């Protein structure tokens, strides 16, 4: 087996993978799993926490692997991308199964080996991945295997993905013993969402509000009017207003704007799209209207936000409660974010 470490990968991802196979070997009382650490150019790699890791095998001399795993947490330096793409393509050809965790599925996509396939990645990156790689169907899942390519969001999902892989190799009974040894539950279903089970949507009791949110999220690039959304849900505009205030504590106009700006935040953080392209992708008629909406909700300009947070862990709360900067807008302006609820 091989672990291809990309600079900036997390120590957590590396440790979880290595420990699972080490513990499995201990339970078997033999070195069934052998893991080579590979790096680009056979250079030492600095992880996200500053720890330096050296390769244990040469990327230019490996043979065939049952499993190769690419670990990446932040977008690598552009100068490294050509070498990374070469390494990934080479590993894909030499491996029975190639896996990618966290940000690494985007590297597989940019290397061209995910075209026409289904994949997943860290939830913070999903929107950027969908916009940047339309030839790939990115889903919100704990893991996705399409052919000989396995993708998952990394971090604790690595335990689920690798335990499932060990199960396929050694059987369910052994995988259960491994879970017990790791003081872990049995692997979660790969079909599970990455989002918290206490998410906003699971606290909403009215199916009409849920339907309205689904319509909003399906129409980010070309936003609908609130009356159109109400019509699709089968209620009056006034009824939808009341339902949203009761269930969301917000008007549908404000919630819709927050969804669009949240979408833009993900693209600003994790995509290479220009601010003008992001503005269009989030349904704004001009860069000026996008900047105003973004500034009102986030408290900074899109360019400042990207400069401060780009290619980093997303801020825990993208849309904080803020005092309104301007007067209450005309209620007929269904897409304005500047309401007293801010």
């Amino acid at each position: 087996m091989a672990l291809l470490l990309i600079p900036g990968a997390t120590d957590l991802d590396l440790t979880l993978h290595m420990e699972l196979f080490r513990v499995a070997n201990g339970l078997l009382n033999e070195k069934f799993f052998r893991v080579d650490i590979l790096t680009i150019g056979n250079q030492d790699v600095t992880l996200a926490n500053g720890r330096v890791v050296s390769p244990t095998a040469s990327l230019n001399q490996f043979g065939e692997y049952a499993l190769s795993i690419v670990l990446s947490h932040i977008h690598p330096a552009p100068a490294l991308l050509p070498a990374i793409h070469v390494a990934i393509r080479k590993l894909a050809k030499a491996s029975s199964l190639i896996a990618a965790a966290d940000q690494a599925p985007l590297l597989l996509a940019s290397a061209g080996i995910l075209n026409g396939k289904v994949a997943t990645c860290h939830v913070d990156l999903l929107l950027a991945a969908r916009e940047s790689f339309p030839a790939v169907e990115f889903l919100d899942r704990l893991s996705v295997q399409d052919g000989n390519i396995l993708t998952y969001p990394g971090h604790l999902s690595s335990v689920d993905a690798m335990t499932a892989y060990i199960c396929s190799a050694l059987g369910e009974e052994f995988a259960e013993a491994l879970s017990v040894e790791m003081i872990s539950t049995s692997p979660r279903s790969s079909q599970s969402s990455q989002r918290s089970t206490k998410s906003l949507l699971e606290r909403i009791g009215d199916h009409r509000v849920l339907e309205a949110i689904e319509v909003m999220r399906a129409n980010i690039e070309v936003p609908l009017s609130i009356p159109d959304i109400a019509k699709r849900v089968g209620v009056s505009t006034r009824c939808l207003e009341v339902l949203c205030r009761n269930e969301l504590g917000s008007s549908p106009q404000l919630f819709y704007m927050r969804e669009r700006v949240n979408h833009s935040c993900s693209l600003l953080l994790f995509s290479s799209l220009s601010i003008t392209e992001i503005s269009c992708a989030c349904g704004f008629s001009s860069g000026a209207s996008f900047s105003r909406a973004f500034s009102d909700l986030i408290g900074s300009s899109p360019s400042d936000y990207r400069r401060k947070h780009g290619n980093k862990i997303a801020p825990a709360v993208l849309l904080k409660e803020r005092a309104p900067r301007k007067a209450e807008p005309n209620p007929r302006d269904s897409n304005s974010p500047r309401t007293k609820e801010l």
Side-chain angles (χ1 to χ4, degrees):
M1 307 174 67
L3 280 173
L4 176 60
L5 284 184
I6 307 300
T10 69
D11 205 341
L12 176 64
D13 281 339
L14 173 60
T15 300
L16 284 174
H17 286 86
M18 295 296 289
E19 279 298 292
L20 276 168
F21 294 119
R22 184 192 66 80
V23 171
N25 284 340
L27 291 173
L28 291 167
N29 199 29
E30 64 174 296
K31 199 168 184 179
F32 184 85
F33 296 103
R34 181 180 63 83
V35 183
D36 290 338
I37 295 179
L38 307 175
T39 64
I40 302 301
N42 299 321
Q43 300 295 310
D44 289 352
V45 165
T46 301
L47 302 179
N49 64 356
R51 184 163 79 95
V52 177
V53 177
S54 299
T56 62
S58 172
L59 188 57
N60 298 319
Q61 297 175 351
F62 67 78
E64 294 185 355
Y65 287 113
L67 172 66
S68 294
I69 306 166
V70 185
L71 298 182
S72 177
H73 177 58
I74 59 174
H75 197 67
L80 275 181
L81 282 176
I84 291 172
H85 291 160
V86 169
I88 286 173
R89 295 186 192 111
K90 188 174 181 180
L91 279 174
K93 291 180 179 179
S95 306
S96 300
L97 180 68
I98 183 168
D102 198 354
Q103 191 265 355
L106 277 67
L107 295 178
L108 268 62
S110 62
I113 67 172
L114 282 183
N115 288 345
K117 293 187 176 293
V118 181
T120 191
C121 60
H122 193 287
V123 67
D124 285 342
L125 304 167
L126 279 171
L127 294 176
R130 290 165 180 162
E131 291 286 347
S132 300
F133 304 105
V136 184
E137 183 180 0
F138 278 95
L139 302 178
D140 174 16
R141 296 287 187 271
L142 278 182
S143 67
V144 173
Q145 184 169 345
D146 190 343
N148 71 330
I149 300 177
L150 171 66
T151 53
Y152 48 102
H155 307 329
L156 296 182
S157 75
S158 302
V159 176
D160 300 292
M162 290 302 99
T163 303
Y165 175 79
I166 292 170
C167 176
S168 69
L170 297 172
E172 291 185 5
E173 186 175 350
F174 183 84
E176 190 63 32
L178 178 63
S179 294
V180 171
E181 181 67 22
M182 296 294 291
I183 318 298
S184 171
T185 60
S186 297
R188 294 170 288 178
S189 168
S190 63
Q191 301 297 308
S192 300
S193 167
Q194 296 176 41
R195 301 181 187 276
S196 168
T197 56
K198 297 180 180 179
S199 67
L200 168 68
L201 297 188
E202 293 185 347
R203 296 196 300 268
I204 294 174
D206 196 295
H207 71 90
R208 294 166 295 182
V209 176
L210 289 172
E211 290 174 14
I213 292 173
E214 288 180 3
V215 171
M216 292 177 187
R217 290 180 172 175
N219 293 273
I220 294 292
E221 188 167 351
V222 183
L224 302 175
S225 68
I226 299 304
D228 282 343
I229 295 172
K231 185 176 180 180
R232 293 195 183 196
V233 174
V235 298
S236 68
T237 302
R238 176 58 183 162
C239 179
L240 182 61
E241 291 270 357
V242 172
L243 288 172
C244 286
R245 290 183 185 279
N246 288 341
E247 293 283 350
L248 304 174
S250 163
S251 69
Q253 292 95 331
L254 178 59
F255 186 88
Y256 200 2
M257 181 58 72
R258 282 177 168 162
E259 288 296 301
R260 292 165 60 199
V261 172
N262 261 322
H263 191 111
S264 76
C265 284
S266 183
L267 297 179
L268 287 166
L269 290 173
F270 304 114
S271 82
S272 59
L273 297 176
S274 70
I275 290 177
T276 299
E277 290 172 324
I278 292 171
S279 170
C280 293
C282 297
F284 292 92
S285 58
S286 69
S289 62
F290 171 51
S291 292
R292 284 195 300 271
F294 192 94
S295 180
D296 280 340
L297 286 169
I298 303 300
S300 69
S301 69
S303 58
D304 286 345
Y305 183 86
R306 170 174 266 177
R307 187 161 45 247
K308 182 177 180 181
H309 299 294
N311 205 23
K312 299 177 183 177
I313 296 176
V317 179
L318 294 178
L319 300 177
K320 299 178 181 179
E321 293 296 322
R322 295 175 50 78
R325 290 170 35 167
K326 297 188 178 181
E328 180 81 1
N330 187 323
R332 289 176 293 180
D333 183 3
S334 63
N335 287 328
S336 173
R338 296 183 290 279
T339 71
K340 288 182 179 178
E341 291 152 313
L342 288 173

